[in-house]
Structure formats: structure tokens, C-alpha cells
Amino acid sequence: MEDDSGHGSRGARATDDPALREAVRAAYGLAAAPVDLGGSSSLNLLADDGVDRFVVRVYRAHVTAGRLADIQRVRRVLREAAVPVAQTVRTREGAEWVVAGGRLVEVERFVEHDAAMSSWPRLARGMPWLARIHSVLAGVTVGPEGRHPLFANHVHAADVLEWTRRGTERMRRWGPREVHLAEQADRLAEAVDAAMTPLRERLPPPQLVHGDFWDDNVLLRRGRVVLVTDFEFVGERPRIDDLALTLYFAESTLGAVDEDGRLGRLCALVDAYDSALSHPLSPAERAALPVALARQPLWGIGRWVALLDDEAAARRHAATLTDDLRRARQVLDRLPRWQAAMAGMKARSRGRSRR
């Protein structure tokens, strides 16, 4: 499949077949319907027992039993802390997953919903839940497989130069247009690294984070968040990286506006996030947040352009990053203004508390 990565180590997304459905029936007593609920990574099928509905999740080949155990531990801790996470269903024999076709398969209860977190108003409702997740997971530890996913929408600040160059070296073999894009990406990586260096040591230690808090991974019903799902990219990184990922997806997907509009929209989201944290963002985190936002397009270069096995898929992915690289460069070119805007969130929060 064209979205396989790392010389086949990620594995293609699973497909529905009779053998999978029979394995689910035997282990859980459920009838899995040929209804793909979506998801770019795992296969998610709708199932029922004649009364209730369930989601059958089939992971890619690279997800090990150790990593799935850590993912389930994270979800269990969050559920116990009243975060809206679906309940995992055990097999008839009490196991938390089964193996079908060499892939791990788990089942959880289906949660009714009518919208995904894919608009600015829905994002505002979702951000306090991201803060709640970060606050709860700050005290949670898991094993190495849980902390370090093999594939994720993330590149650590310390690795940004090396990982970006892995992708841009490949892009330079394609043609003049991609060479120009590669040069933009390399310059952005150098600027991000330079801006982040004086801030890195002042940031709190990395912690477990969701890893993909966006769109149909956060579902609503009647305007209220009812489910946070898809923890496949969960891992250990600075919480501002996870926050910046959501902001990046929002800008990239929902449309750009002028700089004042960008700052207003993003600061409103961060206000909603910061106000719900058990430990509010520090001054260093506020200063580093715009830099983390500017770094986001570079995981597209370093993680996916560099690692996608299919050459045509890698080229298509690189082409989608043109506008994102431009917006990221604009942040760094006006970094003092962006940092001042993010620092102003503290004053706004104090003003709200006085009222």
C-alpha cells in the first residue's frame, strides 16, 4: 500500500475480510459489519451484539502487544479521571485484545456522536479536554514502547535538523520544484533550531500526550465533547508540542486569515486550553509555543516524506506542505510579536479571574 513506511515496517492499513469478522465473532460474540468508520491509521469497523454497538479496531503491523498495553493503560487512566474515553471490551475469555491475521484487534463500546472537532467553535470546546488529558497524563508512566511510537506526527526539537534533512535529501532527487521546497524546509529547520536553542533547557520535562488531538479523534454530540479516541500516536514529548499540533491542523485545514486574525483565533484556543490546566503554561512554554507551531510542517518532511515507501505518495505529501511551510516562516519572521501575543494570555487569564 502507498502509505506504508520505513521499508514496510509500518504495515499497510488493514482491510476487512471474512477471516477478521470470524475472529471477532469467536472472541467477542460480535457481528462485525463491513462498515469502515474511517481513520487513516487503524481499520475501525462497526459491530453489534444485537443490542449494543461496538468499534472493532485493527492496528497496523508495527503496533506490538507491549505498545497496545501501554495505550490501553493510558486510556484507562484517563477514563478513571472522567475524560470521555470509550470503554474497552474484553473477550469472552477476559483478554483485552486478540490477534487476527498477524495484527492486534481490540473492541470498545461505540459512542453516539453527531460532529467532529473540525470547526473553530468545536475546537474551543475541545481545548479544555486537551488540557485535562495533559494534566492527568503528567503523572503517568509507561514503558519504552508507549513513550516512543515508531510512527507519529511529531519531530522532537532536538532532532529537527537531522530529520528534516532526511526528507529534503530525498526531495532533491525529484526535480527543480521539489529542490526549491527542500531549500525552504531546510532554512525553516535551521531557524526553528536557532529560536528553540535558548528556550529548550527552561521547558518542563516531556510527558505523555495524546499525539493526534484533532478532527474525528475528538467527537461531539449536541455541542458537547463525548469521545476522545485514536491514541495510536500517544507518546512522550513536551505538552506544548501536542498543543501546537492541534493549532497547526486547525490553521492548515480551516483556512488562513491575516496575521491579526491568526493570532486572535489561536490565542483564543490557547486561552481555553491554559485555563483548564492544573499547572498553567510557564513563561518559557509561552515563548516556545510559536516556535513549536512553526516546527509542525517539518514532521511532514522528516517523518512522512522521508519514510513513505511509495515514491509517488511521498511526492504528493511534500506538495501539500507548501502553504504550511510559508505560514511557519511567517511566524518566525515575526517571532517577537507572536511571543508577545502568547505571553499576553496570562494577563487575559488574570483579567477573567478578577471578573
Side-chain angles (χ1 to χ4, degrees), residues 230-253:
D230 194 352
F231 286 78
E232 192 166 335
F233 288 167
V234 71
E236 190 176 80
R237 61 202 69 144
R239 62 182 181 176
I240 61 166
D241 285 13
D242 208 35
L243 171 60
L245 178 71
T246 302
L247 302 181
Y248 164 69
F249 278 143
E251 279 209 300
S252 181
T253 305

Side-chain angles (χ1 to χ4, degrees), residues 42 51 61 79 118 164 173 205 212 247 252-253 280 323 350:
S42 301
V51 178
R79 183 174 173 82
S118 55
T164 300
R173 299 195 294 267
D212 201 14
L247 302 181
S252 181
T253 305
D323 289 341
R350 283 200 303 266

Side-chain angles (χ1 to χ4, degrees), residues 27-28 68 72 88-99 105-107:
Y28 292 94
L68 180 53
Q72 291 191 345
T88 302
V89 177
R90 291 181 178 267
T91 68
R92 288 168 164 173
E93 297 182 352
E96 293 187 310
W97 63 76
V98 294
V99 179
V105 181
E106 65 175 355
V107 172

Side-chain angles (χ1 to χ4, degrees), residues 10-310:
R10 186 184 185 212
R13 186 174 184 266
T15 55
D16 177 31
D17 60 46
L20 169 64
R21 278 183 255 162
E22 174 55 27
V24 171
R25 186 203 62 75
Y28 292 94
L30 299 177
V35 177
D36 189 339
L37 297 173
S40 61
S41 190
S42 301
L43 171 67
N44 300 288
L45 296 176
L46 189 65
D48 71 79
D49 62 359
V51 178
D52 296 318
R53 291 194 289 174
F54 304 85
V55 176
V56 176
R57 180 172 298 108
V58 187
Y59 284 93
R60 289 184 185 246
H62 73 93
V63 177
T64 64
R67 177 151 178 84
L68 180 53
D70 285 339
I71 290 172
Q72 291 191 345
R73 168 168 160 70
V74 165
R75 294 201 312 247
R76 186 164 55 249
V77 169
L78 290 173
R79 183 174 173 82
E80 290 169 355
V83 177
V85 175
Q87 181 179 356
T88 302
V89 177
R90 291 181 178 267
T91 68
R92 288 168 164 173
E93 297 182 352
E96 293 187 310
W97 63 76
V98 294
V99 179
R103 294 164 180 264
L104 301 179
V105 181
E106 65 175 355
V107 172
E108 61 185 33
R109 292 192 174 277
F110 180 82
V111 176
E112 294 286 351
H113 56 275
D114 55 31
M117 193 184 69
S118 55
S119 70
W120 294 106
R122 292 174 198 152
L123 276 161
R125 296 186 184 99
M127 299 310 286
W129 285 113
L130 181 61
R132 178 64 177 158
I133 289 169
H134 289 171
S135 295
V136 173
L137 294 184
V140 177
T141 58
V142 294
E145 290 180 281
R147 295 196 303 271
H148 307 297
L150 294 178
F151 301 94
N153 293 337
H154 180 259
V155 170
H156 287 282
D159 300 329
V160 70
L161 292 175
E162 176 188 355
W163 279 85
T164 300
R165 285 169 185 159
R166 292 183 188 184
T168 56
E169 285 175 5
R170 185 181 195 181
M171 293 166 64
R172 284 185 165 86
R173 299 195 294 267
W174 293 338
R177 182 176 179 180
E178 288 88 355
V179 167
H180 177 67
L181 193 63
E183 291 171 349
Q184 288 181 298
D186 280 334
R187 287 195 296 269
L188 177 64
E190 291 166 0
V192 164
D193 183 66
M196 196 67 185
T197 297
L199 297 167
R200 197 174 299 150
E201 297 302 319
R202 296 163 48 201
L203 296 176
Q207 64 159 83
L208 284 177
V209 299
H210 180 278
D212 201 14
F213 193 83
W214 165 247
D215 196 19
D216 56 5
N217 295 335
V218 185
L219 299 174
L220 299 88
R221 187 178 185 189
R222 298 174 182 172
R224 182 174 64 89
V225 173
V226 293
L227 180 65
V228 179
T229 187
D230 194 352
F231 286 78
E232 192 166 335
F233 288 167
V234 71
E236 190 176 80
R237 61 202 69 144
R239 62 182 181 176
I240 61 166
D241 285 13
D242 208 35
L243 171 60
L245 178 71
T246 302
L247 302 181
Y248 164 69
F249 278 143
E251 279 209 300
S252 181
T253 305
L254 300 179
V257 292
D258 59 31
E259 187 176 34
D260 287 341
R262 290 182 72 188
L263 282 168
R265 282 177 171 176
L266 297 183
C267 284
L269 293 181
V270 182
D271 275 348
Y273 167 84
D274 191 53
S275 65
L277 286 170
S278 59
H279 297 285
L281 292 168
S282 68
E285 287 178 299
R286 290 192 181 89
L289 183 55
V291 185
L293 177 61
R295 190 171 78 246
Q296 293 307 304
L298 297 176
W299 56 252
I301 301 289
R303 285 284 190 176
W304 302 117
V305 172
L307 296 179
L308 281 165
D309 291 344
D310 185 85

